[in-house]
mmCIF file of all heavy atoms in Angstrom:
data_model
loop_
_atom_site.group_PDB
_atom_site.id
_atom_site.type_symbol
_atom_site.label_atom_id
_atom_site.label_comp_id
_atom_site.label_asym_id
_atom_site.label_seq_id
_atom_site.Cartn_x
_atom_site.Cartn_y
_atom_site.Cartn_z
ATOM 1 N N ILE W 2 -140.531 20.051 -49.385
ATOM 2 C CA ILE W 2 -140.738 20.780 -48.134
ATOM 3 C C ILE W 2 -139.525 21.663 -47.868
ATOM 4 O O ILE W 2 -138.390 21.202 -47.917
ATOM 5 C CB ILE W 2 -140.958 19.818 -46.946
ATOM 6 C CG1 ILE W 2 -142.188 18.945 -47.191
ATOM 7 C CG2 ILE W 2 -141.129 20.608 -45.650
ATOM 8 C CD1 ILE W 2 -142.444 17.944 -46.098
ATOM 9 N N GLU W 3 -139.784 22.934 -47.600
ATOM 10 C CA GLU W 3 -138.726 23.892 -47.296
ATOM 11 C C GLU W 3 -138.954 24.461 -45.897
ATOM 12 O O GLU W 3 -140.081 24.871 -45.578
ATOM 13 C CB GLU W 3 -138.723 25.036 -48.320
ATOM 14 C CG GLU W 3 -138.522 24.570 -49.763
ATOM 15 C CD GLU W 3 -138.648 25.718 -50.750
ATOM 16 O OE1 GLU W 3 -138.943 26.858 -50.304
ATOM 17 O OE2 GLU W 3 -138.466 25.488 -51.960
ATOM 18 N N HIS W 4 -137.916 24.487 -45.087
ATOM 19 C CA HIS W 4 -138.013 25.060 -43.744
ATOM 20 C C HIS W 4 -137.288 26.401 -43.726
ATOM 21 O O HIS W 4 -136.118 26.490 -44.115
ATOM 22 C CB HIS W 4 -137.395 24.116 -42.714
ATOM 23 C CG HIS W 4 -138.195 22.869 -42.486
ATOM 24 N ND1 HIS W 4 -139.162 22.766 -41.518
ATOM 25 C CD2 HIS W 4 -138.176 21.667 -43.125
ATOM 26 C CE1 HIS W 4 -139.704 21.565 -41.560
ATOM 27 N NE2 HIS W 4 -139.123 20.877 -42.521
ATOM 28 N N ARG W 5 -137.981 27.434 -43.302
ATOM 29 C CA ARG W 5 -137.397 28.765 -43.198
ATOM 30 C C ARG W 5 -137.123 29.062 -41.727
ATOM 31 O O ARG W 5 -138.051 29.220 -40.933
ATOM 32 C CB ARG W 5 -138.334 29.809 -43.797
ATOM 33 C CG ARG W 5 -138.678 29.537 -45.267
ATOM 34 C CD ARG W 5 -137.400 29.443 -46.119
ATOM 35 N NE ARG W 5 -137.646 29.020 -47.472
ATOM 36 C CZ ARG W 5 -137.885 29.841 -48.482
ATOM 37 N NH1 ARG W 5 -137.946 31.147 -48.264
ATOM 38 N NH2 ARG W 5 -138.077 29.368 -49.704
ATOM 39 N N ILE W 6 -135.835 29.134 -41.391
ATOM 40 C CA ILE W 6 -135.413 29.259 -39.999
ATOM 41 C C ILE W 6 -135.062 30.710 -39.681
ATOM 42 O O ILE W 6 -134.539 31.438 -40.517
ATOM 43 C CB ILE W 6 -134.185 28.358 -39.731
ATOM 44 C CG1 ILE W 6 -134.463 26.921 -40.192
ATOM 45 C CG2 ILE W 6 -133.824 28.378 -38.253
ATOM 46 C CD1 ILE W 6 -135.654 26.282 -39.524
ATOM 47 N N GLY W 7 -135.335 31.108 -38.441
ATOM 48 C CA GLY W 7 -134.986 32.447 -37.981
ATOM 49 C C GLY W 7 -136.197 33.346 -37.896
ATOM 50 O O GLY W 7 -137.173 33.179 -38.641
ATOM 51 N N THR W 8 -136.140 34.300 -36.971
ATOM 52 C CA THR W 8 -137.272 35.192 -36.779
ATOM 53 C C THR W 8 -136.778 36.577 -36.396
ATOM 54 O O THR W 8 -135.673 36.734 -35.862
ATOM 55 C CB THR W 8 -138.210 34.645 -35.680
ATOM 56 O OG1 THR W 8 -139.341 35.505 -35.545
ATOM 57 C CG2 THR W 8 -137.490 34.555 -34.345
ATOM 58 N N SER W 12 -141.587 40.005 -35.615
ATOM 59 C CA SER W 12 -142.380 38.774 -35.566
ATOM 60 C C SER W 12 -142.576 38.311 -34.131
ATOM 61 O O SER W 12 -143.642 37.789 -33.782
ATOM 62 C CB SER W 12 -141.700 37.677 -36.389
ATOM 63 O OG SER W 12 -141.768 37.973 -37.760
ATOM 64 N N ASP W 13 -141.553 38.504 -33.294
ATOM 65 C CA ASP W 13 -141.684 38.148 -31.880
ATOM 66 C C ASP W 13 -142.779 38.986 -31.212
ATOM 67 O O ASP W 13 -143.566 38.470 -30.406
ATOM 68 C CB ASP W 13 -140.355 38.366 -31.156
ATOM 69 C CG ASP W 13 -139.271 37.401 -31.622
ATOM 70 O OD1 ASP W 13 -139.623 36.349 -32.191
ATOM 71 O OD2 ASP W 13 -138.079 37.704 -31.422
ATOM 72 N N GLN W 16 -146.162 37.728 -32.271
ATOM 73 C CA GLN W 16 -146.485 36.510 -31.528
ATOM 74 C C GLN W 16 -147.071 36.847 -30.162
ATOM 75 O O GLN W 16 -148.098 36.290 -29.746
ATOM 76 C CB GLN W 16 -145.224 35.656 -31.352
ATOM 77 C CG GLN W 16 -144.808 34.863 -32.572
ATOM 78 C CD GLN W 16 -145.447 33.486 -32.601
ATOM 79 O OE1 GLN W 16 -146.187 33.093 -31.710
ATOM 80 N NE2 GLN W 16 -145.159 32.734 -33.643
ATOM 81 N N LYS W 20 -150.974 36.189 -28.812
ATOM 82 C CA LYS W 20 -151.290 35.367 -27.646
ATOM 83 C C LYS W 20 -152.113 36.132 -26.614
ATOM 84 O O LYS W 20 -152.990 35.559 -25.953
ATOM 85 C CB LYS W 20 -149.993 34.861 -27.007
ATOM 86 C CG LYS W 20 -149.275 33.791 -27.801
ATOM 87 C CD LYS W 20 -148.004 33.345 -27.104
ATOM 88 C CE LYS W 20 -147.295 32.257 -27.903
ATOM 89 N NZ LYS W 20 -146.032 31.822 -27.247
ATOM 90 N N ALA W 183 -151.837 28.671 -51.227
ATOM 91 C CA ALA W 183 -152.631 28.532 -50.004
ATOM 92 C C ALA W 183 -151.750 28.885 -48.810
ATOM 93 O O ALA W 183 -150.743 28.222 -48.567
ATOM 94 C CB ALA W 183 -153.173 27.113 -49.868
ATOM 95 N N MET W 184 -152.140 29.931 -48.090
ATOM 96 C CA MET W 184 -151.378 30.396 -46.934
ATOM 97 C C MET W 184 -152.113 30.004 -45.663
ATOM 98 O O MET W 184 -153.247 30.442 -45.435
ATOM 99 C CB MET W 184 -151.192 31.914 -47.019
ATOM 100 C CG MET W 184 -150.341 32.346 -48.204
ATOM 101 S SD MET W 184 -150.448 34.121 -48.568
ATOM 102 C CE MET W 184 -151.983 34.178 -49.510
ATOM 103 N N SER W 185 -151.473 29.163 -44.849
ATOM 104 C CA SER W 185 -152.096 28.634 -43.622
ATOM 105 C C SER W 185 -153.503 28.113 -43.897
ATOM 106 O O SER W 185 -154.460 28.484 -43.218
ATOM 107 C CB SER W 185 -152.153 29.725 -42.542
ATOM 108 O OG SER W 185 -150.867 30.146 -42.171
ATOM 109 N N PRO W 186 -153.658 27.246 -44.889
ATOM 110 C CA PRO W 186 -155.010 26.829 -45.276
ATOM 111 C C PRO W 186 -155.657 25.903 -44.259
ATOM 112 O O PRO W 186 -155.009 25.046 -43.665
ATOM 113 C CB PRO W 186 -154.766 26.084 -46.600
ATOM 114 C CG PRO W 186 -153.375 25.535 -46.460
ATOM 115 C CD PRO W 186 -152.615 26.587 -45.701
ATOM 116 N N LYS W 195 -156.131 17.882 -35.149
ATOM 117 C CA LYS W 195 -155.508 19.103 -34.643
ATOM 118 C C LYS W 195 -155.387 19.087 -33.122
ATOM 119 O O LYS W 195 -154.402 19.561 -32.572
ATOM 120 C CB LYS W 195 -156.303 20.315 -35.127
ATOM 121 C CG LYS W 195 -156.341 20.416 -36.652
ATOM 122 C CD LYS W 195 -157.310 21.485 -37.095
ATOM 123 C CE LYS W 195 -157.447 21.497 -38.600
ATOM 124 N NZ LYS W 195 -157.890 20.212 -39.171
ATOM 125 N N HIS W 198 -152.402 17.191 -32.173
ATOM 126 C CA HIS W 198 -151.142 17.759 -32.647
ATOM 127 C C HIS W 198 -150.527 18.637 -31.550
ATOM 128 O O HIS W 198 -151.245 19.346 -30.836
ATOM 129 C CB HIS W 198 -151.380 18.587 -33.907
ATOM 130 C CG HIS W 198 -150.148 18.879 -34.696
ATOM 131 N ND1 HIS W 198 -149.275 19.893 -34.375
ATOM 132 C CD2 HIS W 198 -149.629 18.281 -35.815
ATOM 133 C CE1 HIS W 198 -148.282 19.929 -35.249
ATOM 134 N NE2 HIS W 198 -148.475 18.959 -36.137
ATOM 135 N N HIS W 199 -149.207 18.594 -31.415
ATOM 136 C CA HIS W 199 -148.573 19.363 -30.342
ATOM 137 C C HIS W 199 -148.729 20.873 -30.537
ATOM 138 O O HIS W 199 -148.591 21.642 -29.586
ATOM 139 C CB HIS W 199 -147.092 18.996 -30.226
ATOM 140 C CG HIS W 199 -146.271 19.350 -31.425
ATOM 141 N ND1 HIS W 199 -146.251 18.585 -32.570
ATOM 142 C CD2 HIS W 199 -145.442 20.399 -31.660
ATOM 143 C CE1 HIS W 199 -145.450 19.138 -33.463
ATOM 144 N NE2 HIS W 199 -144.944 20.238 -32.940
ATOM 145 N N ASN W 200 -149.051 21.294 -31.734
ATOM 146 C CA ASN W 200 -149.249 22.724 -31.959
ATOM 147 C C ASN W 200 -150.583 23.238 -31.430
ATOM 148 O O ASN W 200 -150.816 24.450 -31.427
ATOM 149 C CB ASN W 200 -149.157 23.045 -33.461
ATOM 150 C CG ASN W 200 -147.712 23.153 -33.934
ATOM 151 O OD1 ASN W 200 -146.786 23.063 -33.130
ATOM 152 N ND2 ASN W 200 -147.521 23.336 -35.227
ATOM 153 N N SER W 201 -151.461 22.345 -31.002
ATOM 154 C CA SER W 201 -152.751 22.803 -30.474
ATOM 155 C C SER W 201 -152.564 23.691 -29.252
ATOM 156 O O SER W 201 -153.415 24.545 -28.959
ATOM 157 C CB SER W 201 -153.640 21.612 -30.121
ATOM 158 O OG SER W 201 -153.059 20.839 -29.082
ATOM 159 N N CYS W 202 -151.453 23.513 -28.538
ATOM 160 C CA CYS W 202 -151.162 24.345 -27.369
ATOM 161 C C CYS W 202 -150.143 25.439 -27.678
ATOM 162 O O CYS W 202 -149.938 26.340 -26.860
ATOM 163 C CB CYS W 202 -150.630 23.477 -26.233
ATOM 164 S SG CYS W 202 -151.793 22.242 -25.638
ATOM 165 N N ARG W 203 -149.523 25.359 -28.846
ATOM 166 C CA ARG W 203 -148.478 26.325 -29.187
ATOM 167 C C ARG W 203 -148.981 27.462 -30.057
ATOM 168 O O ARG W 203 -148.372 28.531 -30.094
ATOM 169 C CB ARG W 203 -147.332 25.623 -29.919
ATOM 170 C CG ARG W 203 -146.636 24.531 -29.128
ATOM 171 C CD ARG W 203 -145.585 23.855 -30.000
ATOM 172 N NE ARG W 203 -144.505 24.768 -30.361
ATOM 173 C CZ ARG W 203 -143.823 24.691 -31.497
ATOM 174 N NH1 ARG W 203 -144.126 23.770 -32.396
ATOM 175 N NH2 ARG W 203 -142.852 25.543 -31.753
ATOM 176 N N ASP W 204 -150.077 27.231 -30.777
ATOM 177 C CA ASP W 204 -150.572 28.237 -31.715
ATOM 178 C C ASP W 204 -150.881 29.539 -30.985
ATOM 179 O O ASP W 204 -151.643 29.561 -30.016
ATOM 180 C CB ASP W 204 -151.825 27.714 -32.426
ATOM 181 C CG ASP W 204 -152.169 28.522 -33.667
ATOM 182 O OD1 ASP W 204 -152.241 29.764 -33.566
ATOM 183 O OD2 ASP W 204 -152.364 27.916 -34.733
ATOM 184 N N ALA W 205 -150.303 30.632 -31.467
ATOM 185 C CA ALA W 205 -150.490 31.931 -30.824
ATOM 186 C C ALA W 205 -151.771 32.617 -31.247
ATOM 187 O O ALA W 205 -152.119 33.679 -30.711
ATOM 188 C CB ALA W 205 -149.305 32.840 -31.161
ATOM 189 N N TYR W 206 -152.496 32.025 -32.166
ATOM 190 C CA TYR W 206 -153.643 32.704 -32.752
ATOM 191 C C TYR W 206 -154.927 31.891 -32.677
ATOM 192 O O TYR W 206 -155.956 32.360 -32.197
ATOM 193 C CB TYR W 206 -153.314 33.038 -34.217
ATOM 194 C CG TYR W 206 -154.304 33.922 -34.914
ATOM 195 C CD1 TYR W 206 -154.217 35.302 -34.814
ATOM 196 C CD2 TYR W 206 -155.319 33.378 -35.704
ATOM 197 C CE1 TYR W 206 -155.128 36.129 -35.465
ATOM 198 C CE2 TYR W 206 -156.227 34.192 -36.360
ATOM 199 C CZ TYR W 206 -156.128 35.565 -36.240
ATOM 200 O OH TYR W 206 -157.029 36.367 -36.873
ATOM 201 N N ILE W 207 -154.889 30.632 -33.137
ATOM 202 C CA ILE W 207 -156.110 29.839 -33.268
ATOM 203 C C ILE W 207 -156.298 28.918 -32.060
ATOM 204 O O ILE W 207 -155.434 28.096 -31.767
ATOM 205 C CB ILE W 207 -156.072 28.977 -34.541
ATOM 206 C CG1 ILE W 207 -156.031 29.868 -35.782
ATOM 207 C CG2 ILE W 207 -157.287 28.059 -34.611
ATOM 208 C CD1 ILE W 207 -155.929 29.096 -37.073
ATOM 209 N N ILE W 243 -147.826 26.014 -50.788
ATOM 210 C CA ILE W 243 -148.487 26.067 -49.491
ATOM 211 C C ILE W 243 -147.501 26.663 -48.482
ATOM 212 O O ILE W 243 -146.358 26.209 -48.383
ATOM 213 C CB ILE W 243 -148.933 24.674 -49.025
ATOM 214 C CG1 ILE W 243 -149.847 24.028 -50.076
ATOM 215 C CG2 ILE W 243 -149.657 24.755 -47.686
ATOM 216 C CD1 ILE W 243 -150.198 22.582 -49.766
ATOM 217 N N ILE W 244 -147.954 27.676 -47.756
ATOM 218 C CA ILE W 244 -147.118 28.344 -46.761
ATOM 219 C C ILE W 244 -147.809 28.256 -45.406
ATOM 220 O O ILE W 244 -149.018 28.498 -45.307
ATOM 221 C CB ILE W 244 -146.897 29.822 -47.133
ATOM 222 C CG1 ILE W 244 -146.101 29.922 -48.441
ATOM 223 C CG2 ILE W 244 -146.176 30.570 -46.017
ATOM 224 C CD1 ILE W 244 -145.942 31.357 -48.936
ATOM 225 N N CYS W 245 -147.065 27.885 -44.373
ATOM 226 C CA CYS W 245 -147.642 27.859 -43.035
ATOM 227 C C CYS W 245 -146.589 28.225 -42.004
ATOM 228 O O CYS W 245 -145.395 28.258 -42.293
ATOM 229 C CB CYS W 245 -148.246 26.476 -42.725
ATOM 230 S SG CYS W 245 -147.024 25.174 -42.477
ATOM 231 N N ALA W 246 -147.054 28.512 -40.790
ATOM 232 C CA ALA W 246 -146.151 28.806 -39.683
ATOM 233 C C ALA W 246 -145.776 27.507 -38.975
ATOM 234 O O ALA W 246 -146.594 26.589 -38.869
ATOM 235 C CB ALA W 246 -146.816 29.765 -38.701
ATOM 236 N N GLU W 247 -144.562 27.442 -38.480
ATOM 237 C CA GLU W 247 -144.053 26.223 -37.833
ATOM 238 C C GLU W 247 -144.857 25.822 -36.609
ATOM 239 O O GLU W 247 -145.058 24.635 -36.343
ATOM 240 C CB GLU W 247 -142.579 26.444 -37.466
ATOM 241 C CG GLU W 247 -141.909 25.256 -36.792
ATOM 242 C CD GLU W 247 -142.020 25.325 -35.261
ATOM 243 O OE1 GLU W 247 -142.190 26.449 -34.735
ATOM 244 O OE2 GLU W 247 -141.950 24.260 -34.619
ATOM 245 N N SER W 248 -145.384 26.799 -35.854
ATOM 246 C CA SER W 248 -146.053 26.491 -34.592
ATOM 247 C C SER W 248 -147.572 26.572 -34.663
ATOM 248 O O SER W 248 -148.238 26.425 -33.641
ATOM 249 C CB SER W 248 -145.556 27.441 -33.491
ATOM 250 O OG SER W 248 -145.842 28.787 -33.829
ATOM 251 N N GLU W 249 -148.145 26.800 -35.837
ATOM 252 C CA GLU W 249 -149.600 26.934 -35.906
ATOM 253 C C GLU W 249 -150.277 25.567 -36.008
ATOM 254 O O GLU W 249 -149.720 24.603 -36.532
ATOM 255 C CB GLU W 249 -150.015 27.835 -37.064
ATOM 256 C CG GLU W 249 -149.814 27.261 -38.448
ATOM 257 C CD GLU W 249 -150.500 28.132 -39.504
ATOM 258 O OE1 GLU W 249 -151.699 28.433 -39.332
ATOM 259 O OE2 GLU W 249 -149.827 28.492 -40.490
ATOM 260 N N VAL W 250 -151.507 25.499 -35.545
ATOM 261 C CA VAL W 250 -152.213 24.229 -35.501
ATOM 262 C C VAL W 250 -152.603 23.750 -36.902
ATOM 263 O O VAL W 250 -152.727 22.543 -37.129
ATOM 264 C CB VAL W 250 -153.443 24.341 -34.580
ATOM 265 C CG1 VAL W 250 -154.537 25.212 -35.223
ATOM 266 C CG2 VAL W 250 -153.995 22.970 -34.235
ATOM 267 N N LEU W 251 -152.770 24.675 -37.839
ATOM 268 C CA LEU W 251 -153.127 24.269 -39.200
ATOM 269 C C LEU W 251 -151.924 23.768 -40.002
ATOM 270 O O LEU W 251 -152.068 23.418 -41.179
ATOM 271 C CB LEU W 251 -153.806 25.427 -39.934
ATOM 272 C CG LEU W 251 -155.191 25.812 -39.416
ATOM 273 C CD1 LEU W 251 -155.808 26.914 -40.265
ATOM 274 C CD2 LEU W 251 -156.126 24.607 -39.372
ATOM 275 N N ARG W 252 -150.772 23.712 -39.354
ATOM 276 C CA ARG W 252 -149.616 23.109 -40.017
ATOM 277 C C ARG W 252 -149.921 21.667 -40.417
ATOM 278 O O ARG W 252 -149.467 21.208 -41.474
ATOM 279 C CB ARG W 252 -148.403 23.151 -39.089
ATOM 280 C CG ARG W 252 -147.200 22.389 -39.622
ATOM 281 C CD ARG W 252 -146.029 22.426 -38.656
ATOM 282 N NE ARG W 252 -144.936 21.567 -39.077
ATOM 283 C CZ ARG W 252 -143.785 21.448 -38.432
ATOM 284 N NH1 ARG W 252 -143.577 22.151 -37.320
ATOM 285 N NH2 ARG W 252 -142.845 20.635 -38.884
ATOM 286 N N CYS W 253 -150.680 20.950 -39.587
ATOM 287 C CA CYS W 253 -150.975 19.550 -39.911
ATOM 288 C C CYS W 253 -151.811 19.446 -41.190
ATOM 289 O O CYS W 253 -151.650 18.494 -41.963
ATOM 290 C CB CYS W 253 -151.657 18.844 -38.745
ATOM 291 S SG CYS W 253 -153.150 19.630 -38.131
ATOM 292 N N ASP W 254 -152.688 20.415 -41.447
ATOM 293 C CA ASP W 254 -153.453 20.425 -42.697
ATOM 294 C C ASP W 254 -152.533 20.659 -43.895
ATOM 295 O O ASP W 254 -152.663 20.011 -44.938
ATOM 296 C CB ASP W 254 -154.513 21.529 -42.657
ATOM 297 C CG ASP W 254 -155.690 21.169 -41.770
ATOM 298 O OD1 ASP W 254 -155.519 20.332 -40.870
ATOM 299 O OD2 ASP W 254 -156.773 21.737 -41.972
ATOM 300 N N ALA W 255 -151.606 21.612 -43.721
ATOM 301 C CA ALA W 255 -150.680 21.928 -44.806
ATOM 302 C C ALA W 255 -149.795 20.729 -45.140
ATOM 303 O O ALA W 255 -149.577 20.402 -46.312
ATOM 304 C CB ALA W 255 -149.820 23.128 -44.414
ATOM 305 N N GLU W 256 -149.303 20.055 -44.109
ATOM 306 C CA GLU W 256 -148.435 18.897 -44.341
ATOM 307 C C GLU W 256 -149.203 17.741 -44.981
ATOM 308 O O GLU W 256 -148.689 17.061 -45.877
ATOM 309 C CB GLU W 256 -147.794 18.462 -43.024
ATOM 310 C CG GLU W 256 -146.775 19.463 -42.500
ATOM 311 C CD GLU W 256 -146.205 19.073 -41.146
ATOM 312 O OE1 GLU W 256 -146.934 18.452 -40.337
ATOM 313 O OE2 GLU W 256 -145.026 19.388 -40.898
ATOM 314 N N LEU W 271 -144.188 22.969 -50.056
ATOM 315 C CA LEU W 271 -144.651 23.371 -48.731
ATOM 316 C C LEU W 271 -143.522 24.123 -48.040
ATOM 317 O O LEU W 271 -142.420 23.600 -47.882
ATOM 318 C CB LEU W 271 -145.041 22.144 -47.899
ATOM 319 C CG LEU W 271 -145.298 22.391 -46.410
ATOM 320 C CD1 LEU W 271 -146.462 23.358 -46.202
ATOM 321 C CD2 LEU W 271 -145.544 21.080 -45.671
ATOM 322 N N GLN W 272 -143.807 25.365 -47.641
ATOM 323 C CA GLN W 272 -142.845 26.166 -46.887
ATOM 324 C C GLN W 272 -143.330 26.298 -45.449
ATOM 325 O O GLN W 272 -144.454 26.736 -45.207
ATOM 326 C CB GLN W 272 -142.689 27.552 -47.507
ATOM 327 C CG GLN W 272 -142.069 27.538 -48.900
ATOM 328 C CD GLN W 272 -141.861 28.947 -49.443
ATOM 329 O OE1 GLN W 272 -142.276 29.939 -48.842
ATOM 330 N NE2 GLN W 272 -141.207 29.035 -50.586
ATOM 331 N N ILE W 273 -142.469 25.937 -44.501
ATOM 332 C CA ILE W 273 -142.786 26.022 -43.077
ATOM 333 C C ILE W 273 -141.872 27.081 -42.456
ATOM 334 O O ILE W 273 -140.654 26.922 -42.444
ATOM 335 C CB ILE W 273 -142.588 24.659 -42.387
ATOM 336 C CG1 ILE W 273 -143.458 23.591 -43.063
ATOM 337 C CG2 ILE W 273 -142.922 24.752 -40.907
ATOM 338 C CD1 ILE W 273 -143.212 22.181 -42.548
ATOM 339 N N TRP W 274 -142.470 28.154 -41.963
ATOM 340 C CA TRP W 274 -141.714 29.309 -41.476
ATOM 341 C C TRP W 274 -141.698 29.336 -39.949
ATOM 342 O O TRP W 274 -142.741 29.297 -39.297
ATOM 343 C CB TRP W 274 -142.341 30.597 -41.996
ATOM 344 C CG TRP W 274 -142.164 30.792 -43.483
ATOM 345 C CD1 TRP W 274 -142.704 30.028 -44.481
ATOM 346 C CD2 TRP W 274 -141.396 31.815 -44.122
ATOM 347 N NE1 TRP W 274 -142.324 30.516 -45.703
ATOM 348 C CE2 TRP W 274 -141.524 31.611 -45.516
ATOM 349 C CE3 TRP W 274 -140.632 32.888 -43.662
ATOM 350 C CZ2 TRP W 274 -140.903 32.439 -46.449
ATOM 351 C CZ3 TRP W 274 -140.013 33.721 -44.581
ATOM 352 C CH2 TRP W 274 -140.149 33.493 -45.963
ATOM 353 N N GLU W 275 -140.510 29.440 -39.395
ATOM 354 C CA GLU W 275 -140.337 29.472 -37.944
ATOM 355 C C GLU W 275 -140.716 30.837 -37.372
ATOM 356 O O GLU W 275 -140.483 31.883 -37.992
ATOM 357 C CB GLU W 275 -138.873 29.171 -37.609
ATOM 358 C CG GLU W 275 -138.567 29.148 -36.118
ATOM 359 C CD GLU W 275 -137.087 28.971 -35.826
ATOM 360 O OE1 GLU W 275 -136.263 29.414 -36.654
ATOM 361 O OE2 GLU W 275 -136.764 28.399 -34.775
ATOM 362 N N GLY W 276 -141.330 30.816 -36.177
ATOM 363 C CA GLY W 276 -141.561 32.047 -35.430
ATOM 364 C C GLY W 276 -142.648 32.952 -35.973
ATOM 365 O O GLY W 276 -142.715 34.131 -35.606
ATOM 366 N N GLN W 277 -143.539 32.422 -36.815
ATOM 367 C CA GLN W 277 -144.586 33.249 -37.416
ATOM 368 C C GLN W 277 -145.956 32.856 -36.883
ATOM 369 O O GLN W 277 -146.128 31.817 -36.254
ATOM 370 C CB GLN W 277 -144.561 33.112 -38.940
ATOM 371 C CG GLN W 277 -143.200 33.385 -39.559
ATOM 372 C CD GLN W 277 -142.633 34.729 -39.139
ATOM 373 O OE1 GLN W 277 -143.303 35.760 -39.221
ATOM 374 N NE2 GLN W 277 -141.400 34.722 -38.647
ATOM 375 N N VAL W 278 -146.944 33.706 -37.164
ATOM 376 C CA VAL W 278 -148.309 33.430 -36.743
ATOM 377 C C VAL W 278 -149.121 32.964 -37.942
ATOM 378 O O VAL W 278 -148.674 33.027 -39.089
ATOM 379 C CB VAL W 278 -148.975 34.676 -36.119
ATOM 380 C CG1 VAL W 278 -148.240 35.087 -34.859
ATOM 381 C CG2 VAL W 278 -149.039 35.828 -37.118
ATOM 382 N N HIS W 279 -150.316 32.511 -37.650
ATOM 383 C CA HIS W 279 -151.245 32.051 -38.679
ATOM 384 C C HIS W 279 -151.436 33.112 -39.763
ATOM 385 O O HIS W 279 -151.646 34.282 -39.475
ATOM 386 C CB HIS W 279 -152.589 31.737 -38.007
ATOM 387 C CG HIS W 279 -153.701 31.439 -38.953
ATOM 388 N ND1 HIS W 279 -153.764 30.272 -39.678
ATOM 389 C CD2 HIS W 279 -154.814 32.158 -39.288
ATOM 390 C CE1 HIS W 279 -154.862 30.278 -40.413
ATOM 391 N NE2 HIS W 279 -155.510 31.411 -40.198
ATOM 392 N N ALA W 280 -151.342 32.684 -41.029
ATOM 393 C CA ALA W 280 -151.583 33.549 -42.189
ATOM 394 C C ALA W 280 -150.691 34.789 -42.178
ATOM 395 O O ALA W 280 -151.106 35.869 -42.614
ATOM 396 C CB ALA W 280 -153.055 33.936 -42.268
ATOM 397 N N PHE W 281 -149.449 34.649 -41.749
ATOM 398 C CA PHE W 281 -148.569 35.807 -41.602
ATOM 399 C C PHE W 281 -148.267 36.546 -42.907
ATOM 400 O O PHE W 281 -147.976 37.757 -42.869
ATOM 401 C CB PHE W 281 -147.256 35.379 -40.918
ATOM 402 C CG PHE W 281 -146.363 34.507 -41.760
ATOM 403 C CD1 PHE W 281 -145.330 35.047 -42.498
ATOM 404 C CD2 PHE W 281 -146.573 33.141 -41.817
ATOM 405 C CE1 PHE W 281 -144.514 34.247 -43.279
ATOM 406 C CE2 PHE W 281 -145.764 32.330 -42.596
ATOM 407 C CZ PHE W 281 -144.725 32.882 -43.329
ATOM 408 N N PRO W 282 -148.315 35.908 -44.097
ATOM 409 C CA PRO W 282 -148.060 36.705 -45.301
ATOM 410 C C PRO W 282 -149.066 37.828 -45.518
ATOM 411 O O PRO W 282 -148.773 38.810 -46.211
ATOM 412 C CB PRO W 282 -148.145 35.666 -46.438
ATOM 413 C CG PRO W 282 -147.814 34.371 -45.781
ATOM 414 C CD PRO W 282 -148.436 34.476 -44.420
ATOM 415 N N GLU W 290 -140.520 38.906 -42.436
ATOM 416 C CA GLU W 290 -140.870 37.575 -42.932
ATOM 417 C C GLU W 290 -142.125 37.606 -43.791
ATOM 418 O O GLU W 290 -142.248 36.844 -44.764
ATOM 419 C CB GLU W 290 -141.054 36.607 -41.765
ATOM 420 C CG GLU W 290 -139.790 36.296 -40.996
ATOM 421 C CD GLU W 290 -139.441 37.346 -39.942
ATOM 422 O OE1 GLU W 290 -140.204 38.326 -39.798
ATOM 423 O OE2 GLU W 290 -138.417 37.190 -39.264
ATOM 424 N N ALA W 294 -142.168 36.228 -47.523
ATOM 425 C CA ALA W 294 -143.138 35.229 -47.961
ATOM 426 C C ALA W 294 -143.932 35.743 -49.160
ATOM 427 O O ALA W 294 -144.247 34.978 -50.084
ATOM 428 C CB ALA W 294 -144.071 34.860 -46.813
#
Side-chain angles (χ1 to χ4, degrees):
I2 300 178
E3 301 175 357
H4 290 269
R5 302 304 172 91
I6 308 301
T8 182
S12 290
D13 293 340
Q16 282 270 359
K20 288 180 179 179
M184 295 166 279
S185 297
K195 299 171 185 58
H198 197 279
H199 64 281
N200 279 356
S201 63
C202 297
R203 299 176 65 211
D204 196 309
Y206 189 86
I207 296 177
I243 304 173
I244 295 175
C245 71
E247 180 269 336
S248 61
E249 70 169 309
V250 71
L251 292 183
R252 173 181 173 178
C253 55
D254 285 24
E256 291 176 328
L271 169 62
Q272 294 183 354
I273 302 174
W274 290 66
E275 181 185 30
Q277 307 306 310
V278 297
H279 172 72
F281 70 96
E290 293 83 1

